[in-house]
Each structure stands twice: as C-alpha cells, then as structure tokens.
C-alpha cells in the first residue's frame, strides 16, 4: 500500500523496545496451561494498551454526553470528537473534516454504497476482487442487485496470492464506475499494488474504493499520496476499540445523497454519520493513534512519529515472519500460502496441516500451548474457495502484532511441530 515519503522531519533511527511495548498491554498477563497467552489473532482484532482503555473509561466516567448541547459535558464531547478526527486525519494523512466515523467498516461501506447507487444504474459496472473480505464485496453485490449495475470479479493467482492483473485489465473497461479493492488480503497477507489499481480505475474514469482494514495496522495509510477516492479502516485492528472509519474526497462526500434524518447536520463530515455515534469508541480510536505515535517519542509532529513507528514495526514484523516461516518450513504435511517473507506482504501467515482440521489445530495450540490463532475463511471466503479448502475447514492464520516476540513465535512453531 502506498505510504508517504515525506519523512524529512521524522525521528531518525527509531528503535522500539519490545518489552516496553508489552508492558502496556494488560491482556499479556493472561495465562493458559501455565503459558502466557501469545495473541496471534491480531488480524481478527488486536489487544488494547492500558492507555486506550483508560481513555474510554475517562470519557464514560467524566464527559459522557450527547453532542452540540449548551452544557459542559456536551461541549467536552464535541471537543474530544474533534480531536479524534484530527488524530485519525494524521493517521490517514487527510483533512480532519474528511474523516467519518461509524459502527464498523461493513456498516460504513453499505451506507456509502447505498448513496453511490443513486448515481448509477443499468449499463454501469463495479469491479471487486477475489482477494477481498466479503465486506468489500457484498455491499457492492447488493447495490448491483438493487440498481441493475453489473458486478465483475477479478480473479486471483493462487500460486502467488496476488491479483490476476491481466484479468484486472480485461475487466476494468470504460463502463466501470467503481473499482473496490483491498490494500492487503486479510487471509494471505498479500499487499496489493494500489498504484496500479488506481491507474487502472482512473484511466477509465472510475472511482477507487480501498479496504485498508488489514493493511492499515502494518502499512501507514497516506490517502494524499495514494490518490484514491474512498478508504475504510478499523481501529480495533490497530489497538483501538470496535469502531469504523471512512475517508472520502470532500468534493464527493459533501454532495453525495446519503440517507439521513431531515434535522441532522448536512455539513461534512457529520452528514455521513447516522444517529448518535459510539463516542467512547471514537475517543479510544484517537488514543490508539496516540499510542502508536508515542512509541516514537520526540518533538516531531504526530504524523512524522507515526511514520517512524511504522518503519520500525515493519522491520520487526519482517524478521518475526521470517522466523516463523523458517521454523515451519519442512514440516511434513504443512503448507503455507502467499508470498515469501520480505516480499510485498503483511506479517500474517496462512497455513494448513494435512490430516488435521484447522479448528482442532487452533484448539490444540490454545489449550496446550497458550497460542491463539484463527481458523476458517475469515470472511475471505472466495480466497479459501479458490485454494480448494472450503470443504476442509479453511485455513489457519497467525498474525504478528506490535507486542509479538520471538519466544511466542518459537512456541507457535513448537506447538505445530508437536501436533505433526
């Protein structure tokens, strides 16, 4: 995924202490069968640092109110939400008033799709991909049924885990109005070439919608450099609470015929936010951004510190993923999927063990080794289907987070080795 190159004022040579990071996560004190829990389920949702929980608690206990009323707690809520937009704007490298909050990415995408649908009808086409989570497929599929728009699916290359770009070029034609693509596959970790996707979409006059839910925890988004039209992400994937975020170009969002209540605000960005929001979750999302920025202390601005943090975490993630893949390499009956370590991928590994149901492997690792991994299709059901695993329980998936250490990686390898 595109990241900014404007790092001239970023702290140089940032190094992050893994032990210092781990101390911030109370969940790491949990044990199973005498083992401290190793959370490899980050692609499903990460644990949260104490500072994020404290921000949520402080809001609920001391500032809880609805917005835009003439008393202190309401004014405090307005201020905290404005600050949260600013924090998320820095995270996305976007203006704060283009940041929209909602229940989750799926709900926001359905909401946006419904609004966009008023502009389109028969004769138009939307392109989605086989790599995507169904949250970036089914809202557009629903829209196609409602509005008579054609839906086209770009296939994947099962050997590399990448998109079939020749198929992409065949299907992105002059009648396409929207290309919806992920920044990275939540099942395989494949980082998608978004520059190529944007160029293909804009070449035919189509808009580009990016699902950055899986990529944003590992590759700092930069919507200014990316040049997309819409982007969504989920703070609970990067150490925050369960809320969703939508960014869109102001010139589109401020005129989009979104479903809304008549008395509700019609100004950006509130015009896209339906009903009373999860204020405490939004405050917590801002605290998650602050947590990531504060991992690189110093006088530099928040965006610059985020860039430095992400660069350091990326290096650590590459090293830990390589360690995991090397540890599993050569085990009989074990198959890994996707690109090699060090390639264009997130530190997320999908694998199977012949003769072993993924759900039972996950339970064995959790109960015996205190290692939490995910199993199934992760709502990326087309990926699992194309790999021929839909009738075999899908995949096992292990994701590296900022708190993951070498001992946990080695324990995951030991647990799989014992099972085999």
């Amino acid at each position: 995924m595109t990241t900014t190159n404007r790092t001239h004022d970023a702290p140089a040579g940032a190094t992050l202490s893994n032990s210092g990071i781990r101390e911030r996560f109370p969940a790491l004190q949990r044990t199973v069968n005498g083992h401290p829990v190793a959370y490899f389920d980050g692609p499903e949702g990460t644990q949260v640092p104490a500072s994020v929980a404290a921000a949520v608690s402080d809001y609920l206990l001391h500032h809880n109110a609805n917005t835009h009323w003439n008393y202190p707690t309401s004014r405090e809520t307005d201020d905290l939400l404005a600050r949260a937009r600013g924090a998320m704007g820095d995270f996305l490298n976007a203006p704060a008033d283009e940041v929209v909050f909602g229940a989750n990415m799926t709900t926001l995408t359905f909401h946006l799709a419904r609004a966009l649908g008023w502009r389109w009808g028969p004769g138009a086409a939307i392109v989605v991909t086989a790599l995507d989570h169904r949250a970036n497929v089914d809202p557009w599929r629903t829209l196609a049924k409602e509005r008579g728009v054609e839906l086209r699916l770009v296939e994947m290359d099962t050997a590399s885990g990448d998109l079939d770009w020749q198929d992409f070029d065949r299907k992105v034609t002059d009648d396409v109005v929207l290309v919806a693509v992920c920044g990275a596959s939540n099942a395989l970790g494949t980082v998608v070439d978004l520059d190529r996707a944007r160029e293909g979409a804009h070449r035919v006059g189509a808009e580009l919608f990016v699902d950055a839910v899986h990529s944003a925890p590992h590759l700092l988004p930069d919507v200014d450099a990316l040049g997309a039209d819409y982007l969504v992400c989920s703070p609970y994937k990067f150490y925050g609470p369960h809320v969703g975020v939508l960014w869109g170009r102001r010139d589109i969002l401020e005129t989009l015929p979104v479903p809304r209540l008549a008395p509700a605000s019609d100004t950006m960005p509130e015009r896209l936010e339906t009903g009373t929001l999860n204020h405490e979750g939004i405050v917590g999302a801002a605290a998650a951004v602050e947590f990531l920025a504060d991992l690189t202390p110093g006088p530099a601005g928040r965006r610059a510190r985020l860039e430095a943090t992400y660069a350091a975490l990326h290096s650590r993630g590459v090293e830990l993923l390589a360690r995991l893949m090397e540890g599993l390499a050569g085990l009989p009956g074990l198959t890994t999927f996707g690109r090699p370590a060090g390639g264009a991928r997130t530190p997320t590994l999908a694998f199977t063990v012949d003769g072993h149901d993924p759900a039972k492997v996950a339970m064995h690792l959790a109960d015996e080794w205190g290692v939490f991994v995910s199993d199934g299709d992760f709502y990326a059901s087309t990926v699992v289907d194309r790999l021929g695993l839909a009738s075999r329980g899908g995949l096992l998936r292990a994701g590296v987070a900022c708190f993951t250490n070498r001992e946990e990686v080695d324990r995951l390898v030991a647990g799989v080795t014992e099972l085999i």
Side-chain angles (χ1 to χ4, degrees):
M1 185 175 184
T2 299
T3 56
T4 181
N5 292 320
R6 294 189 295 275
T7 58
H8 57 278
D9 59 347
T15 58
L16 308 182
S17 163
N18 184 256
S19 61
I21 292 174
R22 290 176 64 83
E23 290 171 356
R24 305 180 188 217
F25 288 85
L28 298 180
Q29 299 173 15
R30 180 171 183 154
T31 61
V32 172
N33 196 25
H35 296 286
V37 171
Y39 295 93
F40 286 95
D41 61 337
E44 294 290 331
T46 54
Q47 301 304 307
V48 300
S51 59
V52 169
V56 172
S57 176
D58 180 73
Y59 173 77
L60 288 172
L61 295 178
H62 302 294
H63 312 285
N64 191 31
N66 216 321
T67 55
H68 307 320
W69 296 102
N70 295 309
Y71 47 83
T73 50
S74 181
R75 290 194 294 269
E76 290 160 9
T77 294
D78 291 339
D79 180 63
L80 287 167
L81 297 187
R83 293 186 183 198
R85 291 193 204 279
M88 197 57 62
D90 286 347
F91 182 79
L92 300 172
N93 200 25
D97 63 358
E98 292 180 351
V99 174
V100 177
F101 289 106
N104 46 59
M105 173 270 182
T106 303
T107 300
L108 285 168
T109 305
F110 270 110
H111 187 55
L112 179 69
R114 185 180 182 191
L116 289 173
W118 290 106
R119 308 189 309 180
W120 303 327
I126 296 172
V127 170
V128 296
T129 88
L131 274 187
D132 274 86
H133 188 289
R134 293 303 290 259
N136 197 25
V137 175
D138 290 343
W140 313 114
R141 187 183 302 279
T142 301
L143 174 60
K145 292 178 180 177
E146 292 176 348
R147 304 294 298 173
V149 176
E150 180 186 356
L151 191 74
R152 298 175 188 165
L153 179 73
V154 173
E155 287 295 339
M156 62 177 286
D157 179 344
T158 56
S160 68
D162 197 3
L163 287 180
D164 180 339
W165 287 102
Q166 290 185 340
D167 193 42
F168 179 91
D169 291 337
R170 284 192 297 269
K171 289 175 177 171
V172 179
T173 53
D174 289 343
D175 55 350
V176 171
V177 293
L178 181 83
V179 173
V181 64
C182 58
S185 165
N186 74 306
L188 304 179
T190 305
V191 174
V192 173
D193 186 346
L194 292 181
D195 289 334
R196 187 170 180 177
R198 181 197 65 243
E199 290 166 4
H202 289 178
R203 183 178 62 249
V204 299
E207 295 174 344
L208 179 66
F209 178 95
V210 176
D211 171 7
V213 171
H214 183 69
S215 58
H218 307 289
L219 301 165
L220 185 63
D222 186 342
V223 298
D224 182 53
L226 175 59
D229 301 284
Y230 316 96
L231 182 142
V232 286
C233 63
S234 300
Y236 72 94
K237 306 284 187 173
F238 47 92
Y239 317 109
H242 290 84
V243 294
V245 173
L246 163 70
W247 166 85
R249 283 174 31 212
R250 182 187 291 105
D251 61 321
I252 300 175
L253 295 188
E254 66 186 1
T255 59
L256 207 59
V258 290
R260 49 180 294 277
L261 304 182
S265 172
D266 196 31
T267 60
M268 281 285 291
E270 290 182 325
R271 68 186 311 272
L272 280 89
E273 296 173 341
T274 304
T276 301
L277 298 176
N278 177 359
H279 299 156
E280 61 271 25
I282 294 170
V283 169
V289 173
E290 292 289 358
F291 159 73
L292 287 165
D294 288 347
L295 292 179
T296 301
R302 183 162 49 199
R303 177 70 189 187
R305 289 184 288 117
L306 285 166
E307 290 171 356
T309 293
Y310 265 71
L313 290 178
H314 174 75
S315 296
R316 180 180 295 160
V318 169
E319 184 255 320
L320 290 174
L321 178 65
R323 188 182 186 96
L324 175 58
M325 295 182 76
E326 290 168 7
L328 296 176
L331 290 179
L334 189 142
T335 303
T336 61
F337 299 88
R339 291 171 172 156
R345 61 171 302 148
T346 65
T348 303
L349 184 64
F351 63 99
T352 57
V353 181
D354 286 352
H356 295 273
D357 179 71
K360 292 183 179 179
V361 174
M363 285 188 284
H364 169 79
L365 292 173
D367 295 343
E368 301 299 325
W369 291 85
V371 171
F372 291 5
V373 300
S374 307
D375 67 274
D377 65 20
F378 327 116
Y379 285 83
S381 55
T382 308
V383 172
V384 171
D385 180 68
R386 296 298 188 268
L387 294 175
L389 300 171
S391 63
R392 296 164 54 188
L395 294 158
L396 288 151
R397 183 182 63 182
V400 170
C402 74
F403 45 71
T404 307
N405 63 22
R406 293 175 180 175
E407 183 278 329
E408 292 174 329
V409 169
D410 294 344
R411 189 160 20 118
L412 170 55
V413 171
V416 176
T417 301
E418 178 199 61
L419 185 68
I420 292 179

